[in-house]
Amino acid sequence: LADAVEALARKAPAGSEGTVNFIKQALSAAQAAYEQVNTATRQFVQVAEANVQGAAKAASGSAKKR
């Protein structure tokens, strides 16, 4: 997609630099947002897995005591 924007920039008429820069900034912001969501999702999954493992250990420990 970045290559397509670069090709557009090369072929764009004079005076459209502002529009091309806007598109580049929008793509950069979208990529940063994607990375943040991806990182947050990975962290959520790690916490959820740790909680499930902790609950499983607690349940098995409780069952053994009976």
Side-chain angles (χ1 to χ4, degrees):
L1 187 59
D3 292 337
V5 173
E6 288 299 324
L8 172 70
R10 286 191 299 272
K11 296 177 183 180
S16 61
E17 294 86 6
T19 302
V20 172
N21 285 334
F22 173 77
I23 292 170
K24 287 180 180 181
Q25 289 175 349
L27 286 174
S28 179
Q31 184 177 7
Y34 169 80
E35 291 298 327
Q36 288 177 340
V37 168
N38 198 16
T39 299
T41 301
R42 272 192 254 116
Q43 290 172 347
F44 172 79
V45 168
Q46 289 173 346
V47 169
E49 286 176 345
N51 287 341
V52 168
Q53 288 175 356
K57 285 181 184 177
S60 70
S62 174
K64 288 180 182 178
K65 290 181 182 178
R66 291 180 184 185

